[in-house]
Coordinates of all heavy atoms in Angstrom, one line a residue:
M1 N 28.3 -56.5 -48.2 CA 28.3 -55.7 -47.0 C 28.3 -56.6 -45.8 O 27.6 -57.6 -45.7 CB 27.0 -54.8 -47.0 CG 26.9 -53.9 -45.8 SD 25.4 -52.8 -45.8 CE 24.8 -52.7 -47.4
S2 N 29.2 -56.3 -44.8 CA 29.3 -57.1 -43.6 C 28.1 -56.9 -42.7 O 27.4 -55.9 -42.7 CB 30.6 -56.7 -42.9 OG 30.4 -55.5 -42.2
L3 N 27.9 -58.0 -41.9 CA 26.7 -58.0 -41.0 C 26.9 -56.9 -40.0 O 26.0 -56.2 -39.5 CB 26.5 -59.3 -40.4 CG 26.0 -60.4 -41.3 CD1 26.0 -61.7 -40.6 CD2 24.6 -60.1 -41.8
R4 N 28.1 -56.7 -39.5 CA 28.4 -55.7 -38.5 C 28.0 -54.3 -39.0 O 27.4 -53.5 -38.3 CB 29.9 -55.7 -38.1 CG 30.3 -54.8 -37.1 CD 31.8 -54.9 -36.7 NE 32.2 -53.9 -35.8 CZ 32.2 -54.2 -34.5 NH1 31.8 -55.3 -34.0 NH2 32.6 -53.2 -33.6
Y5 N 28.3 -54.0 -40.2 CA 28.0 -52.7 -40.8 C 26.5 -52.6 -40.9 O 25.9 -51.5 -40.7 CB 28.7 -52.6 -42.2 CG 28.3 -51.3 -42.9 CD1 28.8 -50.1 -42.5 CD2 27.3 -51.3 -43.9 CE1 28.5 -48.9 -43.1 CE2 27.0 -50.1 -44.5 CZ 27.5 -48.9 -44.1 OH 27.2 -47.8 -44.7
E6 N 25.8 -53.6 -41.4 CA 24.3 -53.6 -41.5 C 23.7 -53.3 -40.2 O 22.7 -52.5 -40.1 CB 23.8 -54.9 -42.1 CG 24.1 -55.1 -43.5 CD 23.5 -56.4 -44.1 OE1 22.2 -56.6 -43.8 OE2 24.2 -57.2 -44.7
V7 N 24.1 -54.0 -39.1 CA 23.5 -53.8 -37.8 C 23.8 -52.4 -37.3 O 22.8 -51.7 -36.8 CB 24.1 -54.8 -36.8 CG1 23.7 -54.5 -35.4 CG2 23.7 -56.2 -37.2
K8 N 25.0 -51.9 -37.5 CA 25.3 -50.5 -37.1 C 24.4 -49.5 -37.8 O 23.9 -48.5 -37.3 CB 26.8 -50.2 -37.2 CG 27.6 -51.0 -36.2 CD 29.1 -50.8 -36.5 CE 29.6 -49.5 -35.9 NZ 31.0 -49.4 -36.0
R9 N 24.3 -49.7 -39.1 CA 23.5 -48.8 -40.0 C 22.0 -48.8 -39.6 O 21.4 -47.7 -39.4 CB 23.6 -49.3 -41.5 CG 22.8 -48.4 -42.4 CD 22.7 -49.0 -43.8 NE 22.2 -50.3 -43.8 CZ 20.9 -50.7 -43.7 NH1 20.0 -49.7 -43.6 NH2 20.5 -51.9 -43.7
I10 N 21.4 -50.0 -39.3 CA 20.0 -50.0 -39.0 C 19.8 -49.4 -37.6 O 18.8 -48.7 -37.3 CB 19.4 -51.4 -39.1 CG1 17.9 -51.4 -39.0 CG2 19.9 -52.3 -38.1 CD1 17.2 -50.7 -40.1
Y11 N 20.7 -49.6 -36.7 CA 20.7 -49.0 -35.3 C 20.7 -47.5 -35.4 O 19.9 -46.8 -34.8 CB 21.8 -49.6 -34.5 CG 21.8 -49.0 -33.0 CD1 20.8 -49.5 -32.1 CD2 22.7 -48.2 -32.6 CE1 20.8 -49.0 -30.8 CE2 22.7 -47.7 -31.3 CZ 21.7 -48.1 -30.4 OH 21.7 -47.6 -29.1
R12 N 21.6 -47.0 -36.2 CA 21.8 -45.6 -36.4 C 20.5 -45.0 -37.0 O 20.0 -43.9 -36.6 CB 23.0 -45.3 -37.3 CG 23.3 -43.8 -37.4 CD 24.7 -43.6 -38.1 NE 24.8 -44.3 -39.3 CZ 25.7 -45.3 -39.5 NH1 26.6 -45.6 -38.6 NH2 25.8 -45.9 -40.7
D13 N 19.9 -45.7 -38.0 CA 18.7 -45.2 -38.7 C 17.5 -45.2 -37.7 O 16.7 -44.2 -37.7 CB 18.3 -46.1 -39.9 CG 19.3 -46.0 -41.0 OD1 20.1 -45.1 -41.0 OD2 19.3 -46.9 -41.9
L14 N 17.4 -46.2 -36.9 CA 16.3 -46.2 -35.9 C 16.5 -45.1 -34.9 O 15.5 -44.5 -34.5 CB 16.3 -47.6 -35.2 CG 15.7 -48.7 -36.1 CD1 15.9 -50.1 -35.3 CD2 14.2 -48.5 -36.4
L15 N 17.7 -44.9 -34.4 CA 17.9 -43.8 -33.5 C 17.6 -42.4 -34.1 O 17.0 -41.6 -33.5 CB 19.3 -43.8 -33.0 CG 19.7 -44.9 -32.0 CD1 21.1 -44.7 -31.5 CD2 18.8 -44.9 -30.8
Y16 N 17.9 -42.3 -35.4 CA 17.5 -41.0 -36.1 C 16.0 -40.9 -36.2 O 15.5 -39.8 -35.9 CB 18.2 -41.1 -37.5 CG 17.9 -39.8 -38.3 CD1 18.5 -38.6 -38.1 CD2 16.9 -39.9 -39.3 CE1 18.2 -37.5 -38.8 CE2 16.6 -38.7 -40.0 CZ 17.2 -37.5 -39.8 OH 17.0 -36.4 -40.5
L17 N 15.3 -41.9 -36.5 CA 13.9 -41.9 -36.6 C 13.2 -41.7 -35.2 O 12.2 -41.0 -35.1 CB 13.3 -43.2 -37.2 CG 13.5 -43.3 -38.7 CD1 13.1 -44.7 -39.1 CD2 12.8 -42.3 -39.5
G18 N 13.9 -42.2 -34.2 CA 13.4 -42.1 -32.8 C 13.3 -40.7 -32.3 O 12.6 -40.4 -31.3
R19 N 14.1 -39.7 -32.9 CA 14.1 -38.4 -32.4 C 12.7 -37.7 -32.5 O 12.3 -36.8 -31.8 CB 15.0 -37.5 -33.2 CG 16.5 -38.0 -33.0 CD 17.5 -37.0 -33.7 NE 17.2 -36.8 -35.1 CZ 17.7 -35.9 -35.8 NH1 18.6 -35.1 -35.3 NH2 17.4 -35.7 -37.1
E20 N 11.9 -38.2 -33.5 CA 10.5 -37.7 -33.7 C 9.4 -38.6 -33.1 O 8.3 -38.4 -33.4 CB 10.3 -37.4 -35.1 CG 11.2 -36.4 -35.8 CD 11.0 -35.0 -35.2 OE1 9.9 -34.6 -34.9 OE2 12.1 -34.3 -35.0
Y21 N 9.8 -39.6 -32.3 CA 8.8 -40.6 -31.8 C 7.8 -39.8 -31.0 O 8.2 -39.0 -30.1 CB 9.6 -41.7 -31.1 CG 8.7 -42.9 -30.8 CD1 8.5 -43.7 -31.9 CD2 8.2 -43.2 -29.6 CE1 7.7 -44.9 -31.7 CE2 7.5 -44.3 -29.4 CZ 7.2 -45.2 -30.5 OH 6.4 -46.3 -30.3
P22 N 6.5 -40.2 -31.1 CA 5.5 -39.5 -30.3 C 5.7 -39.5 -28.8 O 5.3 -38.5 -28.1 CB 4.2 -40.2 -30.7 CG 4.5 -40.8 -32.0 CD 5.9 -41.2 -32.0
L23 N 6.2 -40.5 -28.2 CA 6.4 -40.6 -26.8 C 7.8 -40.0 -26.4 O 8.1 -39.9 -25.2 CB 6.3 -42.0 -26.3 CG 4.9 -42.7 -26.4 CD1 5.0 -44.1 -26.0 CD2 3.9 -41.9 -25.6
G24 N 8.5 -39.5 -27.4 CA 9.8 -38.8 -27.1 C 11.0 -39.7 -27.2 O 10.9 -41.0 -27.2
Y25 N 12.1 -39.1 -27.5 CA 13.4 -39.8 -27.7 C 13.8 -40.5 -26.4 O 14.4 -41.6 -26.5 CB 14.5 -38.8 -28.1 CG 15.8 -39.4 -28.5 CD1 15.8 -40.2 -29.7 CD2 16.9 -39.2 -27.8 CE1 17.0 -40.8 -30.1 CE2 18.1 -39.8 -28.2 CZ 18.2 -40.6 -29.3 OH 19.4 -41.1 -29.7
D26 N 13.5 -39.9 -25.2 CA 13.9 -40.5 -24.0 C 13.2 -41.8 -23.7 O 13.6 -42.7 -23.0 CB 13.6 -39.6 -22.8 CG 14.6 -38.3 -22.9 OD1 15.7 -38.5 -23.4 OD2 14.2 -37.3 -22.4
Y27 N 12.0 -42.0 -24.4 CA 11.3 -43.3 -24.3 C 11.8 -44.2 -25.3 O 12.0 -45.4 -25.0 CB 9.8 -43.0 -24.6 CG 8.9 -44.2 -24.6 CD1 8.4 -44.8 -23.5 CD2 8.7 -44.8 -25.9 CE1 7.6 -45.9 -23.6 CE2 7.9 -46.0 -25.9 CZ 7.4 -46.5 -24.8 OH 6.6 -47.6 -24.9
F28 N 12.1 -43.7 -26.5 CA 12.5 -44.6 -27.6 C 13.9 -45.2 -27.5 O 14.1 -46.4 -27.7 CB 12.4 -43.8 -29.0 CG 12.7 -44.6 -30.2 CD1 11.7 -45.4 -30.7 CD2 13.9 -44.6 -30.7 CE1 11.9 -46.2 -31.9 CE2 14.2 -45.4 -31.9 CZ 13.2 -46.1 -32.4
R29 N 14.9 -44.3 -27.2 CA 16.3 -44.8 -27.2 C 16.6 -45.9 -26.3 O 17.2 -46.9 -26.7 CB 17.2 -43.6 -26.9 CG 18.7 -44.0 -27.1 CD 19.6 -43.1 -26.5 NE 21.0 -43.6 -26.6 CZ 21.5 -44.5 -25.9 NH1 20.8 -45.1 -24.9 NH2 22.8 -44.9 -26.0
P30 N 16.2 -45.9 -25.0 CA 16.5 -47.0 -24.1 C 15.9 -48.4 -24.6 O 16.5 -49.4 -24.5 CB 15.9 -46.7 -22.8 CG 15.7 -45.2 -22.8 CD 15.5 -44.8 -24.3
R31 N 14.7 -48.3 -25.2 CA 14.0 -49.5 -25.7 C 14.8 -50.0 -26.9 O 14.9 -51.2 -27.1 CB 12.6 -49.2 -26.0 CG 11.8 -49.2 -24.7 CD 10.4 -48.6 -24.8 NE 9.6 -48.7 -23.6 CZ 9.9 -47.9 -22.5 NH1 10.9 -47.1 -22.5 NH2 9.1 -48.1 -21.5
C32 N 15.1 -49.1 -27.8 CA 15.9 -49.6 -29.0 C 17.2 -50.1 -28.6 O 17.6 -51.2 -29.1 CB 16.1 -48.4 -29.9 SG 16.9 -48.7 -31.4
H33 N 17.9 -49.5 -27.7 CA 19.2 -49.9 -27.2 C 19.1 -51.3 -26.5 O 19.9 -52.2 -26.8 CB 19.8 -48.9 -26.2 CG 21.2 -49.3 -25.7 ND1 22.3 -49.2 -26.5 CD2 21.6 -49.8 -24.5 CE1 23.3 -49.6 -25.8 NE2 22.9 -49.9 -24.6
R34 N 18.1 -51.5 -25.7 CA 17.9 -52.8 -25.0 C 17.6 -53.9 -26.0 O 18.1 -55.0 -25.9 CB 16.7 -52.6 -24.0 CG 16.6 -53.8 -23.1 CD 15.5 -53.6 -22.0 NE 15.3 -52.3 -21.6 CZ 14.1 -51.6 -21.7 NH1 13.1 -52.2 -22.2 NH2 14.0 -50.4 -21.3
A35 N 16.8 -53.6 -27.1 CA 16.5 -54.6 -28.1 C 17.7 -55.0 -28.8 O 17.9 -56.2 -29.1 CB 15.5 -54.0 -29.1
F36 N 18.6 -54.1 -29.1 CA 19.9 -54.5 -29.8 C 20.8 -55.2 -28.8 O 21.5 -56.2 -29.2 CB 20.5 -53.3 -30.4 CG 20.0 -52.9 -31.8 CD1 18.8 -52.2 -31.9 CD2 20.7 -53.3 -32.9 CE1 18.3 -51.9 -33.2 CE2 20.2 -53.0 -34.2 CZ 19.0 -52.3 -34.3
M37 N 20.9 -54.8 -27.6 CA 21.8 -55.4 -26.6 C 21.4 -56.8 -26.3 O 22.3 -57.6 -25.9 CB 22.0 -54.5 -25.4 CG 22.7 -53.2 -25.7 SD 24.3 -53.4 -26.6 CE 25.3 -54.2 -25.4
N38 N 20.1 -57.1 -26.3 CA 19.6 -58.4 -26.0 C 20.2 -59.4 -27.0 O 20.3 -60.6 -26.7 CB 18.1 -58.5 -26.0 CG 17.5 -57.9 -24.7 OD1 18.2 -57.8 -23.7 ND2 16.3 -57.5 -24.8
Q39 N 20.5 -58.9 -28.2 CA 21.0 -59.8 -29.3 C 22.5 -59.6 -29.5 O 23.0 -60.1 -30.5 CB 20.2 -59.5 -30.6 CG 18.7 -59.7 -30.4 CD 18.4 -61.1 -30.1 OE1 19.0 -62.1 -30.6 NE2 17.4 -61.3 -29.3
A40 N 23.2 -58.8 -28.7 CA 24.6 -58.5 -28.9 C 25.5 -59.7 -29.0 O 26.5 -59.7 -29.7 CB 25.0 -57.5 -27.9
D41 N 25.2 -60.7 -28.2 CA 26.1 -61.9 -28.2 C 25.8 -62.9 -29.3 O 26.4 -64.0 -29.3 CB 26.0 -62.6 -26.8 CG 24.6 -63.0 -26.4 OD1 23.6 -62.6 -27.1 OD2 24.5 -63.8 -25.5
E42 N 24.8 -62.6 -30.2 CA 24.5 -63.5 -31.2 C 25.6 -63.6 -32.2 O 26.2 -62.6 -32.7 CB 23.2 -63.0 -31.9 CG 22.6 -64.0 -32.9 CD 22.2 -65.3 -32.2 OE1 21.4 -65.3 -31.3 OE2 22.7 -66.4 -32.7
T43 N 26.0 -64.9 -32.6 CA 27.1 -65.1 -33.6 C 26.6 -65.8 -34.9 O 27.3 -65.8 -35.8 CB 28.2 -65.9 -32.9 OG1 27.7 -67.1 -32.5 CG2 28.8 -65.1 -31.8
D44 N 25.4 -66.4 -34.8 CA 24.9 -67.1 -36.0 C 24.5 -66.0 -37.1 O 23.6 -65.2 -36.9 CB 23.7 -67.9 -35.6 CG 23.1 -68.7 -36.8 OD1 23.9 -68.9 -37.8 OD2 22.0 -69.1 -36.7
P45 N 25.2 -66.1 -38.3 CA 24.9 -65.1 -39.3 C 23.4 -65.1 -39.7 O 22.8 -64.0 -40.0 CB 25.8 -65.5 -40.5 CG 26.9 -66.3 -39.8 CD 26.3 -66.9 -38.7
E46 N 22.8 -66.2 -39.8 CA 21.4 -66.3 -40.2 C 20.5 -65.6 -39.2 O 19.5 -64.9 -39.6 CB 21.0 -67.8 -40.4 CG 19.6 -67.9 -41.0 CD 19.5 -67.3 -42.4 OE1 20.5 -67.3 -43.2 OE2 18.5 -66.7 -42.7
K47 N 20.7 -65.8 -37.9 CA 19.9 -65.1 -36.9 C 20.1 -63.6 -36.9 O 19.2 -62.8 -36.7 CB 20.2 -65.7 -35.5 CG 19.6 -67.1 -35.3 CD 19.8 -67.6 -33.9 CE 19.2 -69.0 -33.7 NZ 19.4 -69.4 -32.3
I48 N 21.4 -63.2 -37.2 CA 21.7 -61.8 -37.3 C 20.9 -61.2 -38.5 O 20.3 -60.1 -38.3 CB 23.2 -61.6 -37.4 CG1 23.9 -62.0 -36.1 CG2 23.5 -60.1 -37.7 CD1 25.4 -62.0 -36.2
R49 N 20.9 -61.9 -39.6 CA 20.2 -61.4 -40.8 C 18.7 -61.3 -40.5 O 18.1 -60.3 -40.9 CB 20.4 -62.3 -42.0 CG 21.7 -62.1 -42.6 CD 21.9 -62.9 -44.0 NE 23.2 -62.9 -44.4 CZ 24.1 -63.8 -44.1 NH1 23.8 -64.9 -43.5 NH2 25.4 -63.7 -44.6
K50 N 18.2 -62.2 -39.8 CA 16.8 -62.2 -39.4 C 16.5 -61.0 -38.5 O 15.4 -60.4 -38.6 CB 16.4 -63.5 -38.7 CG 14.9 -63.7 -38.5 CD 14.6 -65.1 -38.0 CE 13.1 -65.3 -37.9 NZ 12.7 -66.6 -37.5
G51 N 17.4 -60.7 -37.6 CA 17.2 -59.6 -36.7 C 17.3 -58.3 -37.5 O 16.5 -57.3 -37.2
V52 N 18.2 -58.2 -38.5 CA 18.2 -57.0 -39.3 C 17.0 -56.8 -40.1 O 16.4 -55.7 -40.2 CB 19.5 -57.1 -40.2 CG1 19.4 -56.0 -41.3 CG2 20.8 -57.0 -39.4
Q53 N 16.4 -57.9 -40.6 CA 15.1 -57.8 -41.3 C 14.0 -57.3 -40.4 O 13.2 -56.5 -40.8 CB 14.8 -59.2 -41.9 CG 15.7 -59.6 -43.1 CD 15.4 -61.0 -43.6 OE1 14.7 -61.8 -42.9 NE2 15.9 -61.3 -44.8
Q54 N 14.0 -57.8 -39.2 CA 13.0 -57.4 -38.3 C 13.2 -55.9 -37.9 O 12.2 -55.2 -37.9 CB 13.1 -58.2 -37.0 CG 12.0 -57.9 -36.0 CD 12.1 -58.7 -34.7 OE1 13.0 -59.5 -34.6 NE2 11.1 -58.6 -33.8
A55 N 14.4 -55.4 -37.8 CA 14.6 -54.0 -37.6 C 14.2 -53.2 -38.8 O 13.7 -52.1 -38.6 CB 16.1 -53.8 -37.2
E56 N 14.4 -53.7 -40.0 CA 14.0 -53.0 -41.2 C 12.5 -52.8 -41.2 O 11.9 -51.8 -41.5 CB 14.5 -53.7 -42.4 CG 15.9 -53.6 -42.7 CD 16.4 -52.3 -43.2 OE1 15.5 -51.4 -43.6 OE2 17.6 -52.0 -43.3
Y57 N 11.8 -53.9 -40.7 CA 10.3 -53.8 -40.7 C 9.9 -52.8 -39.6 O 9.0 -52.0 -39.9 CB 9.8 -55.2 -40.3 CG 8.3 -55.2 -40.0 CD1 7.4 -55.2 -41.1 CD2 7.8 -55.2 -38.8 CE1 6.1 -55.2 -40.9 CE2 6.4 -55.2 -38.5 CZ 5.6 -55.2 -39.6 OH 4.2 -55.2 -39.4
V58 N 10.5 -52.7 -38.5 CA 10.2 -51.7 -37.5 C 10.5 -50.3 -38.0 O 9.7 -49.4 -37.8 CB 11.0 -52.0 -36.2 CG1 10.9 -50.8 -35.2 CG2 10.6 -53.3 -35.5
K59 N 11.5 -50.2 -38.8 CA 11.9 -48.9 -39.4 C 10.7 -48.4 -40.3 O 10.3 -47.3 -40.3 CB 13.2 -49.0 -40.1 CG 13.6 -47.7 -40.8 CD 14.9 -47.9 -41.5 CE 15.2 -46.8 -42.5 NZ 16.4 -47.0 -43.3
K60 N 10.3 -49.3 -41.1 CA 9.2 -49.0 -42.1 C 7.9 -48.7 -41.3 O 7.2 -47.8 -41.7 CB 8.9 -50.2 -43.0 CG 10.0 -50.3 -44.0 CD 9.8 -51.5 -45.0 CE 11.0 -51.7 -45.9 NZ 10.8 -52.9 -46.7
E61 N 7.6 -49.4 -40.2 CA 6.4 -49.1 -39.4 C 6.5 -47.7 -38.8 O 5.5 -47.0 -38.7 CB 6.2 -50.2 -38.3 CG 5.8 -51.5 -38.9 CD 4.4 -51.5 -39.5 OE1 3.5 -50.9 -38.9 OE2 4.2 -52.0 -40.6
I62 N 7.7 -47.3 -38.3 CA 7.9 -46.0 -37.7 C 7.7 -44.9 -38.8 O 7.0 -43.9 -38.5 CB 9.2 -45.9 -37.0 CG1 9.3 -46.8 -35.8 CG2 9.5 -44.5 -36.6 CD1 10.6 -47.0 -35.1
E63 N 8.2 -45.2 -39.9 CA 8.1 -44.2 -41.0 C 6.6 -44.0 -41.4 O 6.1 -42.9 -41.6 CB 8.9 -44.6 -42.2 CG 10.4 -44.4 -42.0 CD 11.2 -45.1 -43.2 OE1 10.7 -45.9 -43.9 OE2 12.4 -44.7 -43.3
A64 N 5.9 -45.1 -41.4 CA 4.4 -45.1 -41.7 C 3.7 -44.3 -40.6 O 2.8 -43.6 -40.9 CB 3.9 -46.5 -41.9
L65 N 4.1 -44.5 -39.4 CA 3.5 -43.8 -38.3 C 3.7 -42.3 -38.5 O 2.8 -41.5 -38.3 CB 4.1 -44.2 -37.0 CG 3.7 -43.5 -35.7 CD1 2.3 -43.9 -35.3 CD2 4.6 -43.8 -34.6
Y66 N 4.9 -41.9 -38.9 CA 5.2 -40.5 -39.1 C 4.4 -39.9 -40.2 O 3.8 -38.8 -40.2 CB 6.6 -40.2 -39.3 CG 7.5 -40.5 -38.1 CD1 8.9 -40.7 -38.2 CD2 7.0 -40.6 -36.8 CE1 9.7 -40.9 -37.1 CE2 7.8 -40.8 -35.7 CZ 9.1 -41.0 -35.9 OH 9.9 -41.3 -34.8
R67 N 4.2 -40.7 -41.3 CA 3.5 -40.2 -42.5 C 2.0 -40.1 -42.1 O 1.3 -39.1 -42.5 CB 3.6 -41.2 -43.7 CG 4.8 -40.9 -44.5 CD 4.8 -41.7 -45.7 NE 6.0 -42.6 -45.7 CZ 5.9 -44.0 -45.5 NH1 4.8 -44.6 -45.5 NH2 7.0 -44.7 -45.4
L68 N 1.5 -41.0 -41.3 CA 0.1 -40.9 -40.9 C -0.1 -39.7 -40.0 O -1.1 -39.0 -40.1 CB -0.3 -42.2 -40.1 CG -1.7 -42.3 -39.6 CD1 -2.7 -42.2 -40.8 CD2 -1.9 -43.6 -38.8
K69 N 0.8 -39.4 -39.1 CA 0.7 -38.3 -38.2 C 0.7 -37.0 -39.0 O -0.1 -36.1 -38.8 CB 1.9 -38.3 -37.2 CG 1.9 -37.2 -36.2 CD 3.1 -37.3 -35.3 CE 3.2 -36.2 -34.4 NZ 4.4 -36.2 -33.6
K70 N 1.6 -36.9 -40.0 CA 1.6 -35.7 -40.9 C 0.3 -35.6 -41.7 O -0.2 -34.5 -41.8 CB 2.8 -35.8 -41.8 CG 3.1 -34.6 -42.7 CD 4.3 -34.8 -43.6 CE 4.5 -33.6 -44.5 NZ 5.7 -33.8 -45.3
Y71 N -0.2 -36.7 -42.2 CA -1.4 -36.7 -43.0 C -2.6 -36.2 -42.1 O -3.4 -35.3 -42.5 CB -1.7 -38.1 -43.5 CG -3.1 -38.2 -44.1 CD1 -3.4 -37.7 -45.3 CD2 -4.1 -38.9 -43.4 CE1 -4.7 -37.8 -45.9 CE2 -5.4 -39.0 -43.9 CZ -5.7 -38.5 -45.1 OH -6.9 -38.6 -45.6
R72 N -2.7 -36.7 -40.9 CA -3.8 -36.3 -40.0 C -3.7 -34.8 -39.7 O -4.7 -34.1 -39.6 CB -3.7 -37.1 -38.7 CG -4.2 -38.5 -39.0 CD -4.2 -39.3 -37.7 NE -4.8 -40.6 -37.9 CZ -4.6 -41.6 -37.0 NH1 -4.0 -41.4 -35.9 NH2 -5.2 -42.8 -37.3
A73 N -2.4 -34.3 -39.5 CA -2.3 -32.9 -39.2 C -2.7 -32.0 -40.3 O -3.4 -31.0 -40.2 CB -0.8 -32.6 -38.8
L74 N -2.3 -32.4 -41.6 CA -2.7 -31.7 -42.7 C -4.2 -31.7 -43.0 O -4.8 -30.7 -43.3 CB -1.9 -32.2 -44.0 CG -0.5 -31.9 -44.0 CD1 0.2 -32.6 -45.2 CD2 -0.3 -30.4 -44.2
K75 N -4.8 -32.9 -42.8 CA -6.2 -33.0 -42.9 C -7.0 -32.2 -42.0 O -8.0 -31.5 -42.3 CB -6.6 -34.5 -42.8 CG -8.1 -34.8 -43.1 CD -8.4 -36.2 -43.1 CE -9.8 -36.4 -43.4 NZ -10.2 -37.8 -43.5
Q76 N -6.5 -32.1 -40.7 CA -7.2 -31.3 -39.7 C -7.0 -29.8 -40.1 O -7.9 -29.0 -39.8 CB -6.6 -31.6 -38.3 CG -7.3 -30.9 -37.2 CD -6.7 -31.3 -35.9 OE1 -5.6 -31.9 -35.8 NE2 -7.5 -31.0 -34.8
S77 N -5.9 -29.4 -40.6 CA -5.7 -28.0 -40.9 C -6.5 -27.5 -42.1 O -7.0 -26.4 -42.1 CB -4.2 -27.8 -41.3 OG -3.4 -28.0 -40.2
Y78 N -6.6 -28.4 -43.1 CA -7.3 -28.0 -44.3 C -8.7 -28.5 -44.5 O -9.3 -28.3 -45.5 CB -6.5 -28.4 -45.5 CG -5.2 -27.6 -45.6 CD1 -4.0 -28.3 -45.3 CD2 -5.1 -26.3 -45.9 CE1 -2.8 -27.6 -45.4 CE2 -4.0 -25.6 -46.0 CZ -2.8 -26.2 -45.7 OH -1.6 -25.5 -45.7
G79 N -9.2 -29.2 -43.5 CA -10.6 -29.6 -43.5 C -10.8 -31.0 -43.8 O -11.7 -31.6 -44.0

C-alpha cells in the first residue's frame, strides 16, 4: 500500500471519528487538518510512516474515549 493512500485513509478515518468528538466537529476538524498540513511537505518515507503510526495511535485513543463515554452513559442509566 502506498504511503499516500495510507495518509489519506487515516485522515479520512480521523475526520469520520471527529464527527462525534465531545467538543464538536467544528473544534476537531481544524486541528486535525492543521496537524496533517504541518507535515504535508514531508518527503522522507520513514518520517511519513512514523506520522501514520502516531495518527493510528490518536485514532485508537479517540475510539477508547467514545467507548468510555458510552460505558459511563450506560452505567448511569442502569445504576
Side-chain angles (χ1 to χ4, degrees):
M1 181 177 341
S2 73
L3 288 176
R4 181 178 177 92
Y5 177 76
E6 286 184 51
V7 171
K8 289 172 82 172
R9 180 190 53 82
I10 192 68
Y11 181 71
R12 187 173 48 243
D13 291 348
L14 285 172
L15 288 180
Y16 179 78
L17 288 172
R19 295 187 308 167
E20 299 294 323
Y21 197 72
L23 295 175
Y25 187 70
D26 292 334
Y27 175 87
F28 183 84
R29 188 197 174 280
R31 283 166 177 72
C32 182
H33 182 74
R34 193 175 328 122
F36 274 81
M37 291 310 292
N38 285 340
Q39 303 298 323
D41 58 345
E42 189 61 57
T43 57
D44 182 21
E46 190 58 37
K47 287 185 180 180
I48 295 172
R49 283 189 192 94
K50 191 172 183 178
V52 169
Q53 289 174 347
Q54 184 178 4
E56 289 285 350
Y57 175 78
V58 169
K59 179 182 169 186
K60 288 178 185 177
E61 289 293 317
I62 292 172
E63 289 171 343
L65 174 73
Y66 293 161
R67 277 190 243 112
L68 181 62
K69 183 179 174 184
K70 184 178 179 180
Y71 169 77
R72 286 180 176 166
L74 287 173
K75 187 174 180 179
Q76 187 176 14
S77 295
Y78 293 109

